[in-house]
Structure formats: structure tokens, C-alpha cells
Amino acid sequence: LLAVAKVAVDDYVGFTFFVGCMAMMAASAFFFLSMNSFDKKWRTSILVSGLITFIAAVHYWYMRDYWAANVESPTFFRYVDWVLTVPLMCVEFFLILKVAGAKKSLMWRLIFLSVVMLVTGYIGEAVDRENAALWGFFSGAAYFVIVYDIWLGKAKKLAVAAGGSVLSAHKTLCWFVLVGWAIYPLGYMAGTPGWYDGLNGILDMDVIYNIGDAINKIGFGLVIYNLAVQKSDETL
Amino acid sequence: LLAVAKVAVDDYVGFTFFVGCMAMMAASAFFFLSMNSFDKKWRTSILVSGLITFIAAVHYWYMRDYWAANVESPTFFRYVDWVLTVPLMCVEFFLILKVAGAKKSLMWRLIFLSVVMLVTGYIGEAVDRENAALWGFFSGAAYFVIVYDIWLGKAKKLAVAAGGSVLSAHKTLCWFVLVGWAIYPLGYMAGTPGWYDGLNGILDMDVIYNIGDAINKIGFGLVIYNLAVQKSDETL
Ligand SMILES: CC1=C(/C=C/C(C)=C/C=C/C(C)=C/C=O)C(C)(C)CCC1
Ligand SMILES: CC1=C(/C=C/C(C)=C/C=C/C(C)=C/C=O)C(C)(C)CCC1
């Protein structure tokens, strides 16, 4: 028997961890089980979407219990989750642009940038909190380069070359990165000391991160799913 | 080794949690494993049926243990389960009416209404119990709009346009919503204070909710399954 702890009615962090965990599990089942209904070309993309939510489901399971036991931010688990899932999202960009001839170097460049973004963020949040604002700045710089690359750089050119539903899926994913990912720096500012301390009282870091994850991981996957649906309809 | 707790012979709540959990697990296996036997067009619907029972199975696992440990209604888990599964049922309505040209807006409208119904219900049951009757009234109003929409509103028109086995599946689902879902307000009245206090002694809220879930989640899925069987026969 599990010793199921109570979640207080006003424990929004615990609440979002719990709902997040269940939603990630359901999304994983959805992606894993639907992948074989698609054309071979699209299966890997859907499988990767499922991996992203599956990795998240397992981490949320831990984070939820960590929060229930220690009432403390599970920073370590959070970043392990991100350092696995964000590079996988970069792989997704590569996979959908492969039809237009994307090279692996594009993928590695995005992965490298995302790891820089996350490692500097982790240092600021967990190791060198006094200088959190500075580390956040470096992290933000890497984030900015990613945004540039996909919105205006090489990835954009490839998407235009592919055209059609690949282009429009790429555009939606670009919006996810620009707006959806921007949720995270907000959470960071709410949870670390710095010139932005006014935010501390209003927002809670973990709630913001959890909302961001639900939107970005599941939403991102659904965009890919949708693209695969459209592409499979075309070939019929 | 798992520490398997005893279930008292007259612990009807514990009994229905246990049976409910097993039934949901079995139903999920059934839907997940049978989905690939159907035409692509119907797979998503069956997959969603499976997700509904799968999400429920996990929550029932928790609720059963929560009940065994605390002998208290697992209100929190109950509503997390509903807030994930009821919107998925709205998705099901959309999916079967897609053949008749249903728009996403119909789906979002139903999802929105169902979330309003559940959030107001949760407030009445967990946060502001003194005014449970009032919150129940608001929740009931949203429920009523859903019933109206599918019985007489746009969804009905689309079902008529689709005709045949889609129309008759739609009709059965409408009965589920009108009669099957009406079980829940009964449970709510048995478990909250209000003008309906006479019910408290006769009925138990959790037993009613558990019976409702078994009927609605598994039954709903089987209606969809049946529709897919009929439709696949037609195309042969
Ligand atoms: C810019 C910035 C950050 C960005 C984090 C991002 C963008 C995380 C994205 C995570 C995703 C998309 C997870 C989903 O799987 C940090 C590290 C908070 C530190 C502060 C500055
Ligand atoms: C009207 C009403 C309610 C309705 C609940 C319903 C209709 C729940 C349906 C749940 C389902 C179908 C779950 C199965 O997956 C509440 C919230 C009890 C509060 C009192 C008023």
C-alpha cells in the first residue's frame, strides 16, 4: 500500500505537480500508442514527443513526492528533466526539417545552446545564488540565440524551403519557443534573488515552471502530432 | 513485498475503490490493445477511450490507498481525475462528429463548460463547504448547458447530418450524459451539507461516485468501441 499523503487545499505547488504528473503520463500513452498509425517517416517524431512527456512523467512523480516530503523546490530533479527533454525538443526541430535537407550540425548547435542555457541557469538557481541575476543573463543570452536561429536563422530558411504544413508547424513551434519558453525566466526571477525581487511575493517559481512544462511539453508534442496527421492525409 | 491491507466485509467504499481500479485497468488494456484492429479513422477515438480509463485506473489506485490509510474521501484525487477525463469525453463527442464537419470550437466550448462544472463543484465540496448548495447550483447550471448543447444544440445538428451509426452512437452518449452523469450530483448531495441533508444517512458519496465512474467511463468507451465495430463492418 502506498502511504498517500494529503494535499492541502491551498497547496498549489503540490496540486500542479500532481496534475502535471498525470497529464504527462496520459500524453505519453497517447503518443506511444498512436505512433504506429502514421506513415513511417513521422513515427520517430511522434515517438520523441512521447519520450519527452514520458521523461517528464517520471520526474514529476519524483518532484511531487519530494515536494510533499520536504516542502522545498526540487531544483535538482527539475534540471535533470530539462537537460534531457530540451535537447530532445531540439531534435524535434531537426526531424521535421529533415525533409528540407536539415543537417545534423543544425541539431547539435541547438542542443549545445540549450545545454548552455540550462547549465548556467542551474548554477544561478542552485550553486551560486548570490549571482543569480548574472547567471540568468548568460542563460538568457543562449536562449536568445536559440530564438534567433529558429526564427530568422538557418532553421527558418529550411522551413521556408519545405513549405506547406512543415512550414506552418515550424512557425507554431517557433511561437512555443518565443512565448511558451519565456515562462521559465519568469519562474526563475520569482525564485531567485536579484533586481527583480518585487516578483517574489506575487508568483511562485514551481507553479510557473509546472504550467510552463504542461504547455510546452504536451503542446509541442501535439503540434508534431497534428503535422503528422496532416501529412498522412496528404499521402492518402 | 507489498503490505496488502485487509478490506473489511462491510467497507463498501473500499470495496468499490478496489473493484473500480481493477475494472479500469482491464478496460484500458482492452481499448489500448484493440485499437489497431480498427480503421485508422477510428483509432484515435478508441485510444482516447483507453486514456480515460487509464487515467482513472491510476487515480483509483491512489484513492483506494488514500481511503485505506485515512478513511476519508479522496476529494482532491477525485477531482483531478475528473478534470482530466471529463474534457477527454468532450473530445470524444468532437471526434465522432468530425465526419459531419464538427469544428474545434464546439469541442472547446464543451471543455470549457465541463471545467466550470468541475471547478465550482470542487469549491463547494472542498473549499467553501458552507455554501455547497450554492456552488452545486452553479455547477449544475454548467452541466445543464452541456446537456442542452448535445441534446438540442449544434452537436445534435451535426449528429443528424452524419446520420446512421454515428447518429445512434451520439444518441446513446447523450443518454449517458443525461442519466449517467446525473449520478454525480446525487453523490454530491449525499456528501455535502445543504437543504438536501436527508440524503446523508441513506447514501454514501464515494460509493455513488464510484458507481457513476464505472458506468460512465467504461460504458462511454464501449459505445465508441461499438461504433467503430459497426463502421468497420460497413467498409468491408
Ligand atoms: C532563459 C532562462 C532560463 C530558461 C529556461 C528554459 C527556456 C527552459 C525550457 C524548458 C523546457 C522547454 C522544458 C520542457 O520540456 C532559465 C534556465 C530558467 C534560467 C533563467 C534564464
Ligand atoms: C452537476 C454537478 C456535479 C457534476 C459532476 C459530473 C457530471 C461529473 C462527471 C464526471 C464524469 C463523467 C467522470 C467520468 O469520467 C458535481 C461536480 C458533482 C457538483 C454538483 C453538481
Side-chain angles (χ1 to χ4, degrees):
Chain A
L1 272 193
L2 293 166
V4 179
K6 300 182 186 182
V7 179
V9 171
D10 59 352
D11 176 5
Y12 300 108
V13 177
F15 176 79
T16 50
F17 273 129
F18 192 87
V19 180
C21 183
M22 292 292 165
M24 298 292 173
M25 268 167 51
S28 312
F30 178 75
F31 293 127
F32 286 156
L33 291 164
S34 66
M35 64 174 274
N36 284 317
S37 308
F38 293 102
D39 204 56
K40 283 227 173 83
K41 228 176 20 208
W42 294 102
R43 287 190 197 163
T44 316
S45 303
I46 311 250
L47 175 53
V48 174
S49 296
L51 288 180
I52 291 171
T53 52
F54 177 68
I55 293 172
V58 178
H59 282 93
Y60 267 71
W61 191 277
Y62 276 95
M63 291 202 280
R64 192 193 61 194
D65 290 358
Y66 184 94
W67 172 262
N70 308 306
V71 195
E72 189 187 279
S73 278
T75 309
F76 172 79
F77 299 100
R78 177 80 72 186
Y79 276 86
V80 173
D81 173 53
W82 287 349
V83 93
L84 294 167
T85 53
V86 180
L88 283 175
M89 291 180 162
C90 300
V91 173
E92 293 275 36
F93 270 104
F94 166 72
L95 286 175
I96 70 168
L97 295 176
K98 231 170 59 178
V99 283
K103 297 219 179 57
K104 285 243 171 73
S105 60
L106 172 81
M107 177 183 92
W108 287 115
R109 184 184 151 90
L110 289 175
I111 291 180
F112 174 77
L113 286 165
S114 69
V115 171
V116 170
M117 173 182 88
L118 294 171
V119 169
T120 49
Y122 184 73
I123 297 176
E125 206 174 301
V127 184
D128 185 22
R129 277 179 77 84
E130 276 115 280
N131 298 311
L134 186 67
W135 289 109
F137 175 80
F138 289 134
S139 175
Y143 170 53
F144 181 81
V145 181
I146 297 177
V147 170
Y148 177 86
D149 264 22
I150 55 171
W151 271 88
L152 304 162
K154 204 173 222 163
K156 168 71 190 219
K157 279 178 204 106
L158 288 163
V160 171
S165 45
V166 169
L167 176 60
S168 73
H170 180 81
K171 229 178 229 160
T172 315
L173 292 184
C174 281
W175 279 107
F176 267 96
V177 174
L178 184 66
V179 180
W181 290 24
I183 295 171
Y184 298 98
L186 260 183
Y188 183 87
M189 292 198 271
T192 58
W195 52 266
Y196 37 70
D197 268 351
L199 284 172
N200 277 349
I202 321 173
L203 302 166
D204 182 277
M205 185 179 72
D206 282 295
V207 172
I208 298 178
Y209 283 167
N210 291 350
I211 293 173
D213 275 356
I215 293 174
N216 287 301
K217 293 185 216 258
I218 301 178
F220 213 87
L222 287 175
V223 174
I224 309 275
Y225 177 85
N226 207 39
L227 172 62
V229 171
Q230 284 168 358
K231 279 291 177 182
S232 305
D233 283 352
E234 278 172 26
T235 38
L236 284 182
Chain B
L1 271 194
L2 292 166
V4 180
K6 302 184 185 178
V7 179
V9 172
D10 60 350
D11 176 5
Y12 301 107
V13 177
F15 176 80
T16 50
F17 273 129
F18 195 87
V19 177
C21 184
M22 293 293 165
M24 298 293 173
M25 268 166 50
S28 311
F30 178 75
F31 292 126
F32 285 157
L33 293 166
S34 68
M35 64 173 272
N36 283 317
S37 309
F38 294 103
D39 202 55
K40 284 223 172 92
K41 228 174 19 206
W42 295 102
R43 286 190 199 162
T44 315
S45 303
I46 311 247
L47 175 52
V48 174
S49 297
L51 287 181
I52 291 171
T53 52
F54 174 68
I55 293 172
V58 179
H59 283 91
Y60 267 72
W61 191 277
Y62 273 93
M63 292 201 281
R64 189 193 61 192
D65 291 359
Y66 186 94
W67 173 262
N70 308 307
V71 196
E72 188 187 280
S73 277
T75 309
F76 172 79
F77 300 99
R78 177 80 74 189
Y79 275 86
V80 174
D81 173 54
W82 286 350
V83 93
L84 294 168
T85 52
V86 179
L88 284 175
M89 292 180 162
C90 300
V91 173
E92 293 276 37
F93 270 103
F94 165 72
L95 285 174
I96 70 167
L97 294 177
K98 230 170 60 175
V99 283
K103 295 218 180 57
K104 285 239 171 78
S105 61
L106 173 80
M107 178 182 90
W108 287 113
R109 184 186 151 90
L110 289 177
I111 291 180
F112 174 79
L113 287 165
S114 69
V115 171
V116 170
M117 173 182 87
L118 295 171
V119 169
T120 47
Y122 183 73
I123 296 176
E125 207 173 301
V127 185
D128 185 22
R129 278 179 76 85
E130 278 115 278
N131 298 311
L134 186 67
W135 289 109
F137 174 79
F138 289 133
S139 176
Y143 170 54
F144 181 81
V145 181
I146 297 177
V147 170
Y148 177 86
D149 263 22
I150 55 172
W151 272 88
L152 304 162
K154 206 172 221 163
K156 169 70 190 219
K157 279 178 203 106
L158 287 163
V160 171
S165 45
V166 168
L167 177 59
S168 74
H170 179 82
K171 229 179 228 157
T172 316
L173 292 184
C174 281
W175 278 107
F176 267 95
V177 174
L178 184 67
V179 180
W181 290 24
I183 295 171
Y184 298 99
L186 260 183
Y188 183 88
M189 292 198 272
T192 58
W195 51 265
Y196 38 70
D197 268 351
L199 284 171
N200 277 350
I202 322 171
L203 303 165
D204 181 277
M205 184 180 72
D206 282 294
V207 172
I208 299 178
Y209 283 165
N210 291 350
I211 293 174
D213 274 356
I215 294 175
N216 287 300
K217 294 187 216 258
I218 302 178
F220 213 88
L222 287 174
V223 174
I224 309 276
Y225 178 85
N226 205 38
L227 172 61
V229 170
Q230 285 169 355
K231 278 291 176 180
S232 304
D233 284 353
E234 279 172 25
T235 39
L236 284 182

